[in-house]
Amino acid sequence: MIAAIVVIALVASIVGFCTYKAQLWGGKTVPTPSDLGVVKSDKTDEFSATDIEKSLHKRGFKTVTKQTFSAKPRGSFLKYSGIESSKRYSTSSQPVTIVASSGPGVPVGTSGKPAQNVTDSLKSMSVPVHYHKVAVSANGKIKEGTVVATSPAEGSAVTDTKQGIDVAVAETGVDGIGYDVIGTNKDDAEQQYTDKGFHVWMAPRFSSKKMLGKIVDSQPKPGSQATGGNLILFYGIDASGMDKAVQGDNDNYSVYAPAAPVGGTYCTKSGKCINLDEKVEPPSSSSSEDYAPWFSTASQVKSSEDTDNGSSDATGLGHELLFCHTGGDPGCASRAHKDDYGTRNELYYQNYGAFELMDSSISQITCGDSAIGRWDPIDVCVNGQLADRSYSDDNPKLSGASYEMRTHYVYFPVGSDVKGVVDSGYFDKAYVDKAKTQKAVDTSRPFFIRRDKTLYKTTKVDVPSLKTLNPFVPENGDEHSKGSKPVPTKPAPSDETAYYLIDAPQLDWASLPEFTISKDGSKADPKPTTKNATPDQITTAAEKGDFSLIAGKYCTIGNDCIDLSKTGMLTGGKQHASSQLHLGAKGEMWADTAHNVDPASQYLNLLGSDSEYSCGTATGAVCKDHIPLSDIIWPTDMIYVFKNADTSTWYTRQDDGHSPLWDAYNTQDALTRSKPASTTRPYLYPLGYHMNPSPTDSSVYYLQE
């Protein structure tokens, strides 16, 4: 019996050992992707995190997936978190954490760190990284060299891998709109910049709860270099500030519908972003009012959804976003006087504090490639073509006409009644039920819900009559449209569906000077000068009227010299009168040659003003249309050619063998007397009205270094 017991025990031990080794009990080691039998994607040559998750589930493991930014494509498997290869884990109680790539992006926590401390993490995203200097107050809370903002915002994915990531780095000792104005009490900020010589205007904008009454943005943008002029400071408001924002302090009967103070970038938790571009202009008068309707009448709001995609419909109305509407009229009744205008069904007129943002073409009927208003007294639609309307027919039949579902957001400022809107039936019930299973929306931040066209079976309906109601918008007015509400909105508000306002304002990145971080990460390279400035830096400065990077004395090899000041004033020379130059816009030039030369890579076109025109006894812009052209004296027209620019094609024929960039006959003649102009240093080349030869060594003004 003892021997039998020993044998049984021995067998049991062997079986137990074998079954343990086979991981039938005592936990399991976590297999590598290869051990799981997962194969790499043909497109990305990476393991899919989703495939690994499914394979682990088949082996009895529970999993948790964690997303992080990396250079690898979105959805790629990166690693297991906290897993040791030889250690066993319980499949019933210890979930395996899978780390998946979200693609390149800006890690949370980037802002607030010294720039040299983030270079490695941003470089690892394998996209271009651009560092920009932004002005901050010398005695402010932001230390020089600190990252103050990024684009995309930290925690967001890179959407344009060619542009990559922009990083704003604080710099003191620069005249401008200090980035640290953000978060400053509005009254203190107004006084601070008034004392600096700016003409300050204050304007409200919806903000997060923590930014109420504080500066949230500015125009020019925070961090921009400036020494005076008009400055608009935007300060945070909540739902209670809407009426003053669009109406001012006056008891006006009407408001301007495109003037909602909603500017900024809004993103979902998953990284989808929409920019609401709010254009506001100060009045031409010197009004001292804090905020008034003159701001509203100069304002408009557009969505990047529409502006990025262009005009995709027949309306041609520019896609301004309205928070209320009266037919095609952007003027609406104020809330205080809504009852004087009949039934008002938009959210703006309810007591929720929320409102719609609707495409300005909401009341338009699409008719082929055109559009008509619902109460258009002139046109009707027949077989998809515009036709004249008979004045005797007050309700003509239409054919080939339709209403289309357009851009539609439901905006909730801080302090608005989200529950009230949801309970009113505004949102689709099935999606309301779905939202209840998700995390509740964060009401301490402004957000909007985007109506998702892909969730609807019908996004276009026929319009047989001008009195047919539009099912996609709230209808106002007479008895036939009373009580008409749009189709229920999908989805409903939740933390997953909300587009939240990003507190950090968007900067004017193109105007901010770039610099590089040195290899040891300890300091920034010096500011650009006339000796080391890049074409992009020179162009960016010149666009703002700053010619400091190309200022100096320019002389021909015959010692005829001209001077270009930091402000663009051109003086001196045997043949040139004083001229205030500006950077010509693309296509703007007096001369009719060199139109095929790329100004972005080769040169800048510098122009005088219209006041330099003369024709006979007349001067100024009136001479533009003077005939004959030979009697006109044209304004100064010069090109500034960058150092080391590739101008080789300026002296050879084009591929077709017939069309040189410059006048062929005059170029050939000029080159018999001189050689091509050298680009070992920058030069200025004056242009005549037409038939200009290519620049030669004897005809250009070289910068004297």
Side-chain angles (χ1 to χ4, degrees):
M1 289 183 63
I2 294 174
I5 292 172
V6 170
V7 170
I8 293 172
L10 181 60
V11 171
S13 297
I14 293 172
V15 171
F17 176 76
C18 292
T19 55
Y20 178 80
K21 289 290 289 182
Q23 299 190 14
L24 298 178
W25 63 277
K28 296 181 180 181
T29 57
V30 179
T32 65
S34 297
D35 291 339
L36 286 169
V38 177
V39 296
K40 291 185 176 180
S41 165
D42 292 336
K43 292 183 179 180
T44 65
D45 195 32
E46 299 289 346
F47 292 112
S48 164
T50 301
D51 289 346
I52 290 174
E53 180 183 42
K54 291 178 180 178
S55 296
L56 288 174
H57 289 173
K58 290 180 180 179
R59 299 200 179 197
F61 287 97
K62 295 180 179 180
T63 61
V64 173
T65 300
K66 177 182 177 182
Q67 301 285 339
T68 190
F69 295 122
S70 80
K72 292 187 176 182
R74 185 179 181 87
S76 299
F77 170 78
L78 297 179
K79 63 180 181 179
Y80 297 125
S81 178
I83 297 296
E84 298 177 24
S85 59
S86 60
K87 186 176 179 180
R88 291 175 176 245
Y89 296 90
S90 169
T91 57
S92 61
S93 61
Q94 292 178 279
V96 176
T97 300
I98 298 171
V99 181
S101 175
S102 297
V106 181
V108 173
T110 298
S111 294
K113 292 181 179 178
Q116 61 264 30
N117 291 0
V118 303
T119 54
D120 288 343
S121 63
L122 296 180
K123 185 178 180 181
S124 70
M125 300 298 160
S126 295
V127 296
V129 181
H130 310 277
Y131 295 91
H132 304 260
K133 292 285 188 181
V134 295
V136 297
S137 301
N139 57 352
K141 297 179 181 179
I142 301 177
K143 294 182 179 180
E144 184 159 15
T146 299
V147 175
V148 298
T150 62
S151 178
E154 63 175 51
S156 300
V158 173
T159 56
D160 185 347
T161 54
K162 291 184 178 180
Q163 174 61 28
I165 300 170
D166 289 293
V167 183
V169 182
E171 180 181 29
T172 59
V174 178
D175 291 331
I177 317 302
Y179 186 86
D180 47 339
V181 71
I182 303 301
T184 304
N185 176 276
K186 74 182 191 73
D187 295 331
D188 294 340
E190 181 178 14
Q191 187 63 54
Q192 176 186 355
Y193 283 93
T194 298
D195 292 344
K196 287 185 177 183
F198 288 90
H199 192 173
V200 181
W201 307 92
M202 305 300 291
R205 181 174 285 176
F206 290 123
S207 73
S208 62
K209 189 174 183 179
K210 66 181 181 181
M211 296 295 284
L212 298 179
K214 299 177 181 179
I215 302 301
V216 296
D217 202 349
S218 67
Q219 186 177 307
K221 285 292 187 179
S224 300
Q225 297 182 16
T227 56
N230 282 328
L231 170 63
I232 302 175
L233 294 177
F234 297 93
Y235 61 90
I237 61 170
D238 59 13
S240 65
M242 176 65 169
D243 285 342
K244 183 177 180 181
V246 300
Q247 186 176 339
D249 293 322
N250 302 317
D251 186 21
N252 292 334
Y253 275 79
S254 63
V255 294
Y256 190 61
V262 296
T265 299
Y266 296 75
C267 299
T268 64
K269 289 296 183 68
S270 63
K272 297 178 181 178
C273 296
I274 293 174
N275 187 62
L276 298 185
D277 183 16
E278 178 193 355
K279 293 188 180 299
V280 177
E281 297 178 8
S284 57
S285 67
S286 57
S287 170
S288 60
E289 293 181 68
D290 177 48
Y291 188 83
W294 37 253
F295 263 118
S296 299
T297 56
S299 298
Q300 61 177 221
V301 179
K302 293 187 178 182
S303 167
S304 58
E305 275 199 291
D306 295 321
T307 56
D308 289 351
N309 296 329
S311 180
S312 58
D313 55 68
T315 63
L317 293 181
H319 297 294
E320 291 89 357
L321 294 179
L322 313 179
F323 60 85
C324 61
H325 73 100
T326 304
D329 188 354
C332 305
S334 68
R335 272 199 284 231
H337 299 282
K338 65 177 181 178
D339 293 337
D340 297 340
Y341 291 82
T343 305
R344 312 299 298 180
N345 293 320
E346 296 99 324
L347 281 177
Y348 168 69
Y349 295 108
Q350 316 309 317
N351 295 318
Y352 302 119
F355 51 88
E356 291 110 342
L357 289 172
M358 303 167 283
D359 192 294
S360 55
S361 60
I362 53 175
S363 61
Q364 297 292 302
I365 297 171
T366 300
C367 179
D369 294 330
S370 304
I372 57 175
R374 212 178 80 194
W375 303 116
D376 196 318
I378 301 174
D379 295 323
V380 292
C381 189
V382 178
N383 296 325
Q385 300 292 324
L386 290 183
D388 292 337
R389 177 179 177 180
S390 170
Y391 283 93
S392 62
D393 189 352
D394 64 351
N395 186 28
K397 293 182 179 180
L398 308 181
S399 58
S402 62
Y403 284 127
E404 297 181 12
M405 183 180 286
R406 306 189 189 279
T407 302
H408 188 103
Y409 307 136
V410 189
Y411 194 97
F412 293 91
V414 169
S416 56
D417 184 3
V418 180
K419 184 177 183 301
V421 178
V422 172
D423 291 346
S424 72
Y426 191 94
F427 295 95
D428 184 90
K429 185 179 184 304
Y431 284 86
V432 170
D433 292 339
K434 182 178 180 179
K436 290 178 180 178
T437 67
Q438 300 168 339
K439 184 179 178 181
V441 74
D442 179 3
T443 57
S444 69
R445 303 160 63 187
F447 68 91
F448 64 80
I449 301 300
R450 171 184 176 271
R451 182 168 65 186
D452 187 349
K453 297 179 185 179
T454 65
L455 301 180
Y456 294 82
K457 292 182 179 180
T458 301
T459 59
K460 182 177 181 179
V461 296
D462 292 336
V463 181
S465 163
L466 288 176
K467 292 186 177 181
T468 303
L469 298 183
N470 188 338
F472 305 126
V473 300
E475 291 282 2
N476 298 313
D478 59 25
E479 64 281 355
H480 87 278
S481 60
K482 185 176 181 180
S484 174
K485 297 181 179 180
V487 294
T489 295
K490 306 174 186 179
S494 78
D495 197 49
E496 292 184 23
T497 61
Y499 281 78
Y500 291 108
L501 174 67
I502 303 299
D503 270 334
Q506 283 293 305
L507 301 183
D508 185 7
W509 294 104
S511 70
L512 298 175
E514 280 195 53
F515 72 102
T516 57
I517 302 291
S518 57
K519 292 182 179 179
D520 62 5
S522 61
K523 62 180 180 180
D525 288 343
K527 297 179 184 178
T529 66
T530 53
K531 293 184 178 181
N532 63 22
T534 66
D536 283 346
Q537 292 170 331
I538 292 171
T539 303
T540 298
E543 286 173 342
K544 299 188 297 182
D546 178 6
F547 289 79
S548 59
L549 295 179
I550 61 174
K553 177 176 285 189
Y554 292 76
C555 299
T556 66
I557 58 175
N559 207 32
D560 179 22
C561 298
I562 53 179
D563 292 291
L564 182 63
S565 75
K566 294 181 179 180
T567 60
M569 180 62 71
L570 184 71
T571 55
K574 296 177 182 179
Q575 300 178 3
H576 306 285
S578 297
S579 178
Q580 177 60 57
L581 302 181
H582 69 275
L583 180 63
K586 190 171 184 179
E588 179 193 6
M589 53 176 60
W590 311 138
D592 66 353
T593 56
H595 284 212
N596 295 321
V597 183
D598 181 7
S601 61
Q602 307 298 340
Y603 72 89
L604 299 179
N605 193 204
L606 306 179
L607 304 176
S609 65
D610 286 356
S611 63
E612 293 183 42
Y613 274 106
S614 67
C615 52
T617 59
T619 59
V622 66
C623 293
K624 282 185 176 182
D625 300 322
H626 180 78
I627 300 296
L629 296 178
S630 58
D631 291 344
I632 301 176
I633 296 177
W634 301 80
T636 301
D637 188 351
M638 286 201 171
I639 61 170
Y640 169 89
V641 179
F642 298 114
K643 181 179 180 179
N644 297 324
D646 180 10
T647 59
S648 58
T649 57
W650 293 10
Y651 305 94
T652 59
R653 292 186 179 276
Q654 298 263 19
D655 293 339
D656 62 7
H658 298 287
S659 303
L661 292 170
W662 302 82
D663 182 77
Y665 179 83
N666 287 334
T667 292
Q668 183 180 12
D669 181 65
L671 290 176
T672 62
R673 299 189 301 271
S674 184
K675 60 184 179 181
S678 169
T679 58
T680 56
R681 51 180 169 164
Y683 64 77
L684 291 172
Y685 179 46
L687 301 179
Y689 170 60
H690 69 158
M691 298 182 69
N692 289 284
S694 300
T696 66
D697 192 52
S698 60
S699 64
V700 303
Y701 291 76
Y702 289 108
L703 176 64
Q704 306 300 296
E705 297 177 340

